[in-house]
Amino acid sequence: MVFLKKIVRIIDTLSKYSGLSARWLAWLLVLVGAYDTIARHFFNAPTIWAYETMTMAGGALYALGWSYVYLKDSHVRVDLFYRLLSDRKKAFMDVISSLIFFFPLMIVLVWVSTKWAIRAWRINEIMISTYWYPPAGPFRTAVALGAFLLLLQGIARFIRDLYYVIRGEPFD
Amino acid sequence: MIELSEQVITVLMLGGVLTLVMTGFPIAFVIASVALIMGFVLFGGEVTYHILYSRLYSMLLSYPFLAVPLFTFMGVILQMSGIVEELYTVLYESMSGFRGGLAIVTIIFGTILAACLGVITASVTMLTLIALAPMVTRGYDKSIASGSVVAAGTLGILIPPSIMLVVYAPQAGLSIGQMFMAAFTPGLLLSGSYIVYVGIRCFLNPKLGPPVSEEQKLRLPFWSKMMKLLKSLIPPLAIIFAVLGTIFTGIAPPTEAAAMGSLAAVLLAIIYRKMTWDIAKRAAVETLRVSSFVLLIAGICYAYVGVFMSAGCGRVVKEAILAVPGGRWGSFFVVMVIVFLLGMFIEWIGIVFIIVPILSPVIVALGFDPLWAGMMVCINLQMAFQTPPMAMSVFVCQGTAPPELGVTLNDIIKGVIPFIAIIAFWLLMFSIYPQLITWLPNLMMK
Amino acid sequence: AQKKIVWKSSSFGPASNYSQIHHDKCCEAITQASGGRMEVQAFVGGSIVPETKELDAVIEGVIDLCYTCPMYNLDKWPAAGLISSRPGGLPGQYLIQWFDYGGGYELMNEMMEGYNCMVMPGFLSPEPGEVFLHSKVKIETVDDLNGLKVRTSGDGGEILARMGVSTIFLPGGELYEAMQRGTIDAFEYAGLSTNWSMHFNEIAEYVILSPVRAPSDPHVWFVNKDSWEALPDDLKVLVQNVIGRWTQEQQNFESHYDIEALQNFKDAGCEVYDLPKEVEDAISKEAKEFYTEKSAEESEVFAKILNSMNEYAELSGL
Ligand code: NA
Ligand code: NA
């Protein structure tokens, strides 16, 4: 039990810091977007790096935020019936739903995104929206990492819910 | 791999999503799982994994969608720093003496906010925080009060800038700027009708929205009132110029205009001495929270559509809708009803991403102007935010309202119904007079 | 009876794009010609995998066939840009000849080695050269390029940037408005007929013609190796022949409609003129330097393809 608690806490911490670090990409987006606009319009000096810097910053912001959002339970649910359930029944529903809708999906996503991240490094894949041609490896890795952290957070939630279903009291 | 008829697959895929989301599990995972399972059965694992991953990945890298984090960021900065609230106070002081005046002020203020903000949570949250308490504590009917807040707040997603339009346009092959243009008239007509509705109700029954007489004593000379109004208009006008001005004067396309708007919001907050380190951190994390789940759903729905189309279901839906009796209008009516019904249950992003790619070829095949039809769908979707059980605006209003006001979910739902009826009325009008939507973009294009 | 072979095929869309239209017709023609033994389902770009990622889908076996620009695959093969619309490339008819008989398709297969896809003779439609630029500003000298805000892509953009052009990146959907509102001064897109269909006469007064930036705009069919191997021999012949006919068909179609589009642009009040030779020469010179530098940095196959195309141009007296 102590061991489980420790694992869950570590996962929570990972999710938290993933979100809290990735959030600064939001500022990067604002500054790069505004810089490029001003440089182009007022100084006729457009950058070749702003476009893909922004798309990659945005993508990393979302992907690294997934686990944080799941930690905060902010992924949208249709709670028409769910809302009517007691907390323990909600936990029970989530245990079953996780087994069907979460784990198979996330295992696939982690696997396939890792495969493509490795491929990107192996073949020196580049981004080609502009002729800046930055490497795609780092971004593909960020997506795989985001998926992996989300899977971990799902495991932590699952442990919490299962504990609640069995014991009838909150895990922490 | 199993052989199923395309019709059966279509029913399984659409029905699967609609029933399984009722488990209350986060819809992104449910939708993705339906796609995964159906894809697995029909095409095998490898093919399905590639469809899911490649589509999710490309959505994460979408340039137009950067408007989601950027508009969220801008909204959060404006909301946390409170720099546009002064305008409400000024409007309040000049209008509270009339029957229903506060509700009208709320709608006017909500309309101005709508032209500043691109995301819905920001405008509904701000309106609830600023405008709900003054109405309820001064004896306004809770339904009228909260209905005005929700309806006016929801205008934020229709009146440009708007992430809904930003998201819709590329999906349907339309230009974002043209959609923005097309949305002004319907947005302002809705706003005007809301004011007329509230005014008439309160005029007929002053108990719904009593005039606030004691405020009248705060009378100021006309010119100093005007000065105050002008001063309070500076922040919202600066934001409107930073975003819409940037777009329409050609300084930048919409995505970068959102960045300019965010920068303007930060600069205003600094000038008004409201910017703090705490706001800087919270704005960033709130941006991450909102855009992370929005883009997950967007990417997942985009992936789902890949499996759906790959299985030939697009053709099935198209043929089914074209077969509706009553000619093209019959078919179009069915499309609108589908959008409305889906809007009751599913988050709007899910709808835009699932139905636009499926239905927009149908709309074109029916011979409707894609811009007009797209606008009709977006106005329709505006109702989705307010129709229970999945009513984002209603939830945000209820969640943000100070508990001591005693505004219940029922009050709010009762309050929004008339506003939904007004939107439905205008949808009918726009079908009869499509030029109400198309004249402004046509004017700008020539 | 033998089971019907079902293939999936995609171009990069949208549905109104000429390449997508010809792709769809070609798929239908194969289905018809096979007398019920084979069905090639045609999909619009973006409906199965994201637009322009069709070849990845072919490689992964998601679809069997696709019709796309090689340039969209620069992410894995930097040399793909050479067999695309690019400065110093071969003009249409020469490009077909080079591809079918001059070693082109073999080199492309060599470039794609290790990936589960292939090309064969007849699979390339060169399409006529692109419009040099649609512009709000008249370009008459090399100096006019300096500081001009141009929406470009690919090697052509990089070469123009080396000559002082302010290159700007925009999603295709935002192009029209960016021009109209003055965010950009000029842009490249495709050939005359496609550009006419996009109503570009409404946003740019000058239609500047020159093959220097893109003497042709090749679109190529790619097929999954396993799917190909699994075809009976007679169907292989059928598929290859039908594709060969439709690539030529698109070339003819676009060349014909370009003539018409040229007149349409003039009638609509646009000034259509040829880019002065002085500017063309400067761009050609810059392009030569660019590719010399680039081929020193890139893989062996890059230099091989570049040299092969250059030699073919020389032999042809271009
Ligand atoms: Na808005
Ligand atoms: Na709803």
Side-chain angles (χ1 to χ4, degrees), chain B residues 43 47 50-51 54-55 58 63 175-178 247-254 302 305-306 309-310 444-446, chain C residues 3 8 41-43 46-51 53 56-57 60-62 170-171 173-174 176-177 180-183 202:
Chain B
F43 320 122
V47 167
H50 181 75
I51 296 176
S54 65
R55 292 179 76 97
S58 97
Y63 187 74
S175 108
I176 295 169
Q178 263 189 305
I247 296 173
F248 291 119
T249 58
I251 294 175
Y302 185 59
V305 169
M309 290 299 188
S310 199
M444 296 301 292
M445 287 298 130
K446 276 292 143 185
Chain C
K3 206 167 160 270
K8 286 184 177 144
Q41 299 175 340
F43 290 87
S47 58
I48 297 184
V49 290
E51 300 94 340
K53 300 294 176 197
D56 283 339
E60 295 294 314
V62 174
L170 282 175
E174 288 182 11
Y176 189 96
E177 283 181 58
Q180 195 178 38
R181 306 217 160 93
T183 315
E202 294 167 10

Coordinates of all heavy atoms in Angstrom, one line a residue, chain B residues 43 47 50-51 54-55 58 63 175-178 247-254 302 305-306 309-310 444-446, chain C residues 3 8 41-43 46-51 53 56-57 60-62 170-171 173-174 176-177 180-183 202:
Chain B
F43 N -9.9 -2.6 -40.7 CA -8.7 -2.5 -41.4 C -7.5 -3.1 -40.8 O -6.4 -3.1 -41.4 CB -8.3 -1.0 -41.7 CG -9.4 -0.1 -42.0 CD1 -9.6 1.0 -41.2 CD2 -10.2 -0.3 -43.1 CE1 -10.7 1.9 -41.5 CE2 -11.2 0.5 -43.4 CZ -11.5 1.6 -42.6
V47 N -2.8 -0.3 -39.8 CA -3.5 0.8 -40.6 C -4.2 1.8 -39.7 O -4.0 3.0 -39.8 CB -4.5 0.2 -41.6 CG1 -5.4 1.2 -42.2 CG2 -3.7 -0.6 -42.6
H50 N -1.9 4.0 -37.7 CA -1.3 5.1 -38.5 C -2.3 6.2 -38.7 O -1.9 7.4 -38.7 CB -0.8 4.6 -39.8 CG -0.1 5.7 -40.7 ND1 1.1 6.2 -40.4 CD2 -0.6 6.4 -41.7 CE1 1.4 7.1 -41.3 NE2 0.3 7.3 -42.1
I51 N -3.5 5.9 -39.0 CA -4.5 6.9 -39.3 C -4.7 7.8 -38.0 O -4.6 9.0 -38.1 CB -5.9 6.3 -39.6 CG1 -5.8 5.6 -41.0 CG2 -7.0 7.4 -39.7 CD1 -7.1 4.8 -41.4
S54 N -1.2 9.8 -37.3 CA -0.8 10.8 -38.2 C -1.8 12.0 -38.2 O -1.4 13.2 -38.3 CB -0.8 10.3 -39.7 OG -2.1 9.9 -40.1
R55 N -3.1 11.7 -37.9 CA -4.0 12.8 -37.9 C -3.9 13.6 -36.6 O -3.9 14.8 -36.6 CB -5.4 12.3 -38.1 CG -5.6 11.8 -39.5 CD -7.0 11.2 -39.7 NE -8.0 12.2 -39.9 CZ -8.5 12.6 -41.1 NH1 -8.0 12.2 -42.2 NH2 -9.4 13.6 -41.2
S58 N -0.8 15.8 -36.9 CA -0.9 16.9 -37.8 C -1.8 18.0 -37.1 O -1.5 19.2 -37.3 CB -1.4 16.5 -39.2 OG -2.7 16.7 -39.3
Y63 N -1.4 25.4 -37.6 CA -1.1 26.8 -37.4 C -2.4 27.6 -37.1 O -2.4 28.3 -36.1 CB -0.4 27.4 -38.7 CG 0.1 28.8 -38.5 CD1 1.2 29.1 -37.8 CD2 -0.6 29.8 -39.2 CE1 1.6 30.4 -37.6 CE2 -0.2 31.1 -39.0 CZ 1.0 31.4 -38.3 OH 1.4 32.7 -38.1
S175 N -12.4 31.1 -45.8 CA -11.4 31.9 -45.2 C -11.9 32.5 -43.8 O -13.1 32.8 -43.7 CB -11.1 33.1 -46.2 OG -11.6 34.3 -45.7
I176 N -11.0 32.5 -42.9 CA -11.3 32.9 -41.6 C -11.8 34.4 -41.6 O -12.8 34.7 -40.9 CB -10.1 32.8 -40.6 CG1 -9.7 31.3 -40.5 CG2 -10.4 33.4 -39.2 CD1 -8.4 31.1 -39.8
G177 N -11.1 35.2 -42.3 CA -11.5 36.6 -42.4 C -12.9 36.8 -42.9 O -13.7 37.6 -42.4
Q178 N -13.3 36.0 -43.9 CA -14.6 36.2 -44.5 C -15.7 35.7 -43.5 O -16.7 36.3 -43.4 CB -14.7 35.3 -45.8 CG -14.5 36.1 -47.0 CD -14.9 35.3 -48.2 OE1 -14.3 34.2 -48.4 NE2 -15.8 35.8 -49.0
I247 N -6.2 42.3 -38.2 CA -6.7 41.5 -39.3 C -7.1 42.3 -40.4 O -6.7 42.1 -41.6 CB -7.8 40.5 -38.8 CG1 -7.3 39.6 -37.7 CG2 -8.4 39.7 -40.0 CD1 -8.4 38.8 -37.1
F248 N -8.0 43.3 -40.2 CA -8.7 43.9 -41.3 C -7.9 45.0 -42.0 O -8.2 45.4 -43.1 CB -10.1 44.5 -40.9 CG -11.0 43.3 -40.6 CD1 -11.6 43.1 -39.3 CD2 -11.3 42.4 -41.6 CE1 -12.4 42.1 -39.1 CE2 -12.2 41.4 -41.3 CZ -12.7 41.2 -40.1
T249 N -6.8 45.4 -41.3 CA -5.9 46.4 -42.0 C -4.7 45.6 -42.6 O -3.8 46.3 -43.2 CB -5.3 47.4 -41.1 OG1 -4.6 46.8 -40.0 CG2 -6.4 48.3 -40.5
G250 N -4.7 44.3 -42.6 CA -3.7 43.5 -43.3 C -2.4 43.5 -42.6 O -1.4 43.1 -43.1
I251 N -2.3 43.9 -41.3 CA -1.0 43.7 -40.6 C -0.7 42.3 -40.4 O 0.5 41.9 -40.5 CB -1.1 44.5 -39.2 CG1 -1.3 46.0 -39.5 CG2 0.1 44.2 -38.4 CD1 -1.5 46.8 -38.3
A252 N -1.7 41.5 -40.1 CA -1.4 40.1 -39.8 C -2.6 39.2 -40.1 O -3.7 39.7 -39.9 CB -0.9 39.9 -38.4
P253 N -2.4 37.9 -40.4 CA -3.5 37.0 -40.5 C -4.0 36.7 -39.1 O -3.3 37.0 -38.1 CB -2.9 35.8 -41.2 CG -1.5 35.9 -41.0 CD -1.1 37.3 -40.9
P254 N -5.2 36.0 -38.9 CA -5.8 35.8 -37.6 C -4.9 35.2 -36.5 O -5.0 35.7 -35.4 CB -7.0 34.9 -38.0 CG -7.3 35.2 -39.4 CD -6.0 35.5 -40.0
Y302 N -10.6 14.5 -35.3 CA -10.0 14.5 -36.6 C -9.6 13.1 -37.0 O -9.8 12.6 -38.1 CB -8.9 15.5 -36.6 CG -8.2 15.8 -37.9 CD1 -8.9 16.2 -39.0 CD2 -6.8 15.5 -38.1 CE1 -8.2 16.5 -40.2 CE2 -6.2 15.8 -39.3 CZ -6.9 16.2 -40.4 OH -6.2 16.5 -41.5
V305 N -12.7 10.9 -37.7 CA -13.2 11.2 -39.1 C -12.4 10.4 -40.1 O -12.9 10.0 -41.1 CB -13.2 12.7 -39.4 CG1 -13.5 13.0 -40.8 CG2 -14.3 13.4 -38.5
G306 N -11.1 10.3 -39.9 CA -10.2 9.5 -40.8 C -10.7 8.1 -40.9 O -10.8 7.6 -42.1
M309 N -14.3 8.1 -42.7 CA -14.2 8.3 -44.1 C -13.6 7.1 -44.8 O -14.1 6.7 -45.9 CB -13.4 9.5 -44.4 CG -14.0 10.8 -44.0 SD -15.6 11.1 -44.9 CE -16.0 12.7 -44.5
S310 N -12.6 6.6 -44.2 CA -11.9 5.5 -44.8 C -12.8 4.3 -44.9 O -12.7 3.5 -45.8 CB -10.7 5.1 -43.8 OG -9.8 4.4 -44.5
M444 N -17.0 43.6 -48.7 CA -15.6 43.7 -48.4 C -14.8 43.1 -49.5 O -13.6 43.5 -49.7 CB -15.2 43.1 -47.1 CG -15.8 43.7 -45.9 SD -15.3 45.4 -45.7 CE -13.6 45.2 -45.3
M445 N -15.4 42.1 -50.2 CA -14.6 41.4 -51.2 C -14.5 42.1 -52.5 O -13.7 41.8 -53.3 CB -15.2 40.0 -51.4 CG -15.0 39.0 -50.3 SD -13.3 38.7 -50.0 CE -13.1 39.0 -48.2
K446 N -15.4 43.1 -52.7 CA -15.5 43.7 -54.0 C -14.8 45.1 -54.0 O -14.7 45.7 -53.0 CB -16.9 43.8 -54.5 CG -17.3 42.5 -55.2 CD -16.6 42.2 -56.5 CE -16.3 40.7 -56.6 NZ -15.4 40.5 -57.8
Chain C
K3 N -11.9 -13.3 -55.8 CA -12.4 -12.2 -55.0 C -11.9 -10.9 -55.6 O -10.8 -10.8 -56.1 CB -11.8 -12.3 -53.6 CG -12.7 -11.7 -52.6 CD -12.3 -12.1 -51.1 CE -12.8 -11.1 -50.2 NZ -11.9 -10.0 -49.9
K8 N -7.3 1.3 -52.2 CA -7.7 2.7 -51.8 C -6.6 3.6 -52.3 O -5.4 3.3 -52.3 CB -7.7 2.8 -50.3 CG -8.9 2.2 -49.6 CD -8.9 2.4 -48.1 CE -10.2 1.8 -47.6 NZ -10.0 1.3 -46.3
Q41 N -10.9 2.6 -55.0 CA -11.7 3.6 -54.3 C -10.9 4.9 -54.2 O -9.8 5.0 -53.7 CB -12.1 3.2 -52.9 CG -12.9 1.9 -52.9 CD -13.2 1.4 -51.5 OE1 -12.5 1.8 -50.5 NE2 -14.2 0.6 -51.4
A42 N -11.5 6.0 -54.7 CA -10.8 7.3 -54.7 C -11.2 8.1 -53.5 O -12.4 8.3 -53.2 CB -11.1 8.1 -56.0
F43 N -10.2 8.6 -52.8 CA -10.5 9.5 -51.6 C -9.9 10.9 -51.8 O -8.8 11.0 -52.4 CB -9.9 8.9 -50.4 CG -10.6 7.6 -49.9 CD1 -10.2 6.4 -50.4 CD2 -11.6 7.7 -49.0 CE1 -10.9 5.2 -50.0 CE2 -12.3 6.6 -48.6 CZ -11.9 5.3 -49.1
G46 N -6.9 14.4 -47.3 CA -7.4 14.8 -46.0 C -8.5 14.0 -45.4 O -8.8 14.0 -44.2
S47 N -9.1 13.1 -46.2 CA -10.2 12.3 -45.7 C -9.7 11.1 -44.9 O -10.3 10.7 -43.9 CB -11.2 12.0 -46.7 OG -10.7 11.2 -47.8
I48 N -8.5 10.5 -45.3 CA -8.0 9.4 -44.5 C -6.9 9.8 -43.7 O -6.9 9.6 -42.4 CB -7.6 8.2 -45.5 CG1 -8.8 7.7 -46.2 CG2 -7.0 7.1 -44.7 CD1 -8.6 6.5 -47.1
V49 N -5.8 10.3 -44.3 CA -4.7 10.9 -43.5 C -4.6 12.3 -43.8 O -5.3 12.8 -44.8 CB -3.4 10.2 -43.9 CG1 -3.4 8.7 -43.3 CG2 -3.1 10.2 -45.3
P50 N -3.9 13.1 -43.1 CA -3.8 14.6 -43.3 C -3.4 14.9 -44.8 O -2.6 14.1 -45.3 CB -2.8 15.1 -42.3 CG -2.8 14.1 -41.2 CD -3.1 12.8 -41.9
E51 N -3.9 16.0 -45.3 CA -3.5 16.4 -46.7 C -2.0 16.4 -46.8 O -1.3 16.9 -45.9 CB -4.0 17.8 -47.0 CG -5.5 18.0 -47.0 CD -5.9 18.5 -45.6 OE1 -5.2 18.4 -44.6 OE2 -7.0 19.1 -45.5
K53 N 0.0 14.1 -46.7 CA 0.7 13.0 -46.1 C 0.3 11.6 -46.7 O 0.5 10.6 -46.1 CB 0.4 12.9 -44.6 CG 0.8 14.2 -43.8 CD 2.3 14.4 -43.8 CE 2.7 15.7 -43.2 NZ 4.1 16.1 -43.5
D56 N 3.1 8.8 -47.0 CA 3.3 8.1 -45.8 C 2.3 7.0 -45.6 O 2.6 5.9 -45.1 CB 3.3 9.0 -44.6 CG 4.5 9.8 -44.4 OD1 5.6 9.4 -45.0 OD2 4.5 10.9 -43.8
A57 N 1.0 7.3 -46.0 CA 0.0 6.3 -45.8 C 0.2 5.1 -46.8 O -0.1 4.0 -46.4 CB -1.4 7.0 -46.1
E60 N 2.9 3.0 -45.2 CA 2.4 2.3 -44.1 C 1.3 1.3 -44.4 O 0.8 0.6 -43.6 CB 1.9 3.2 -43.0 CG 2.9 4.2 -42.4 CD 4.0 3.4 -41.6 OE1 3.6 2.5 -40.8 OE2 5.2 3.7 -41.7
G61 N 0.9 1.2 -45.7 CA -0.1 0.3 -46.1 C -1.5 0.7 -45.8 O -2.4 -0.1 -45.8
V62 N -1.7 2.0 -45.4 CA -3.1 2.4 -45.1 C -3.9 2.5 -46.4 O -5.0 2.2 -46.5 CB -3.0 3.8 -44.4 CG1 -4.4 4.4 -44.2 CG2 -2.3 3.7 -43.1
L170 N 2.4 31.3 -45.2 CA 1.0 31.4 -44.8 C 0.3 30.1 -45.3 O 0.6 29.6 -46.3 CB 0.3 32.5 -45.7 CG 0.5 34.0 -45.3 CD1 -0.1 34.8 -46.3 CD2 -0.1 34.2 -43.9
P171 N -0.7 29.6 -44.5 CA -1.5 28.5 -45.0 C -2.2 29.0 -46.3 O -2.6 30.1 -46.4 CB -2.5 28.3 -43.9 CG -2.0 29.0 -42.7 CD -1.1 30.1 -43.2
G173 N -5.1 28.7 -47.3 CA -6.4 29.3 -47.1 C -6.4 30.8 -46.8 O -7.4 31.5 -46.9
E174 N -5.2 31.3 -46.3 CA -5.2 32.6 -45.9 C -4.6 33.6 -46.9 O -4.4 34.7 -46.7 CB -4.4 32.8 -44.5 CG -5.2 32.2 -43.4 CD -4.5 32.3 -42.0 OE1 -3.4 33.1 -42.0 OE2 -4.9 31.7 -41.1
Y176 N -5.5 34.5 -50.0 CA -6.4 35.4 -50.7 C -6.5 36.7 -49.9 O -6.3 37.8 -50.4 CB -7.7 34.8 -51.0 CG -8.7 35.6 -51.8 CD1 -8.7 35.3 -53.2 CD2 -9.4 36.6 -51.3 CE1 -9.6 36.0 -54.0 CE2 -10.3 37.3 -52.1 CZ -10.4 37.0 -53.5 OH -11.2 37.7 -54.3
E177 N -6.8 36.5 -48.7 CA -7.0 37.7 -47.8 C -5.7 38.5 -47.5 O -5.7 39.7 -47.4 CB -7.6 37.3 -46.5 CG -9.0 37.0 -46.6 CD -9.5 36.6 -45.3 OE1 -9.4 37.5 -44.4 OE2 -10.0 35.5 -45.2
Q180 N -5.2 40.6 -50.4 CA -6.2 41.7 -50.5 C -5.9 42.8 -49.5 O -6.1 43.9 -49.7 CB -7.5 41.0 -50.2 CG -8.7 41.9 -50.6 CD -9.9 41.2 -50.4 OE1 -10.1 40.5 -49.4 NE2 -10.9 41.4 -51.3
R181 N -5.5 42.4 -48.3 CA -5.3 43.4 -47.2 C -3.9 43.9 -47.2 O -3.6 44.7 -46.3 CB -5.7 42.7 -45.9 CG -7.0 42.1 -45.8 CD -7.7 42.3 -44.5 NE -9.2 42.1 -44.7 CZ -9.8 41.0 -44.6 NH1 -9.1 39.9 -44.2 NH2 -11.1 40.9 -44.8
G182 N -3.1 43.4 -48.1 CA -1.7 44.0 -48.2 C -0.7 43.4 -47.2 O 0.4 44.0 -47.0
T183 N -1.0 42.3 -46.6 CA -0.1 41.6 -45.7 C 1.1 41.2 -46.6 O 2.3 41.2 -46.1 CB -0.7 40.4 -45.0 OG1 -1.9 40.8 -44.5 CG2 0.2 39.9 -43.8
E202 N -8.6 38.8 -58.9 CA -9.2 39.8 -58.0 C -8.2 40.4 -57.0 O -8.5 41.4 -56.4 CB -10.4 39.1 -57.2 CG -11.5 38.6 -58.1 CD -12.5 37.7 -57.4 OE1 -12.3 37.5 -56.2 OE2 -13.3 37.1 -58.1

